[in-house]
Amino acid sequence: MPADETPLEQITTRIAAAAALARREAEEVELIAVSKTRTPEEIAPLIAAGHRSFGENRVQEAEGKWPALIAATPGIRLHLVGQLQSNKAAEAVGLFDVIHSVDRPSLVAALGRAMDAAGKRPDCYIQVNIGEEAQKGGCAIGDLPALLGEARAADLPVIGLMCVPPAGTEAAPYFALLAELAKRNGLAGLSMGMSEDFETAVMLGATCVRVGTALFGAR
Ligand SMILES: *Cc1c(COP(=O)(O)O)cnc(C)c1O
């Protein structure tokens, strides 16, 4: 790789190479630059380079920095990738284009009400607790069909599944399982893969990868 390539160019190249190996089109994979904890000054170079998809994990932090950036740049797509409290559902619906962390009936209900009130329906992913970890967000694998039914009944536009595999383990089996669950449930979207494993995720069908550290440096 040429030494003068930016991290954005390097990651884009690596996504394209992984997609090519899997006989997929690179355009099928959206690179979400996860900009949590980053300042507008750190985000600006990516926007200047033409990047438009960004992810945040806290509603309040996002409200502090994104409205000004969005006003200055048409076409920003803002993704909520972190856990969402039901009492923040209306704010999340107002600010985000995509919500990746729908994981329980109470949140489905709150988002349904917020979307009805706002007249705006951000795309949603159901987050699955793919490693069945006690402390982790995401719905249990066994609860997925019922939660999906509730989300569809509440008119949430569910486009796919999202996961964060257990830390320190080989991610591929979890990505493969998420892809299988999506297929069984008739969903095309797969939000999986982070800085350490996005190429694996792309080879296993990810339609969006969420990359922070590899783009911005260590947090
Ligand atoms: C922070 C975060 C990421 C990005 O993680 P990196 O390892 O920095 O790439 C992806 N997904 C979620 C849900 C996150 O909270």
Side-chain angles (χ1 to χ4, degrees):
M1 253 172 234
D4 57 353
E5 275 200 340
T6 64
L8 177 61
E9 289 167 335
Q10 291 172 11
I11 303 288
T12 303
T13 301
R14 288 169 60 186
I15 288 173
L21 264 180
R23 301 299 185 269
R24 303 182 61 204
E25 301 292 331
E27 295 72 35
E28 292 170 33
V29 185
E30 180 175 359
L31 169 60
I32 301 172
V34 178
S35 52
K36 64 189 186 199
T37 77
R38 314 296 176 173
T39 63
E41 291 69 33
E42 291 175 280
I43 295 167
L46 270 75
I47 295 178
H51 196 73
R52 293 294 177 267
S53 289
F54 293 88
E56 291 283 341
N57 71 335
R58 291 170 191 271
V59 175
Q60 215 162 347
E61 181 187 338
E63 280 183 323
K65 63 189 178 195
W66 279 102
L69 292 166
I70 289 168
T73 313
I76 296 280
R77 252 169 85 74
L78 200 57
H79 299 254
L80 178 62
V81 300
Q83 276 193 331
L84 177 58
Q85 292 170 279
S86 295
N87 64 9
K88 296 258 170 61
E91 290 163 77
V93 166
L95 182 60
F96 291 93
D97 301 292
V98 189
I99 297 173
H100 291 242
S101 48
V102 180
D103 66 353
R104 58 195 187 278
S106 58
L107 181 58
V108 164
L111 284 169
R113 284 191 300 271
M115 289 184 194
D116 290 344
K120 178 189 172 202
R121 314 197 85 80
D123 285 338
C124 293
Y125 289 84
I126 305 279
Q127 183 178 352
V128 180
N129 185 351
I130 202 73
E132 307 203 305
E133 296 174 277
Q135 300 305 322
K136 200 106 157 214
C139 85
I141 292 171
D143 294 341
L144 177 59
L147 187 65
L148 189 55
E150 289 180 44
R152 285 174 171 154
D155 259 340
L156 267 56
V158 179
I159 61 169
L161 302 180
M162 177 271 214
C163 77
V164 181
T169 64
E170 172 53 58
Y174 298 98
F175 293 157
L177 177 56
L178 194 74
E180 174 62 23
L181 293 171
K183 192 171 147 196
R184 278 185 214 163
N185 288 282
L187 292 165
L190 284 171
S191 169
M192 59 189 198
M194 315 197 330
S195 290
E196 294 299 315
D197 50 27
F198 65 87
E199 288 151 310
T200 304
V202 168
M203 291 176 67
L204 290 167
T207 57
C208 56
V209 294
R210 312 177 308 265
V211 178
T213 315
L215 277 172
F216 291 101
R219 276 185 297 275

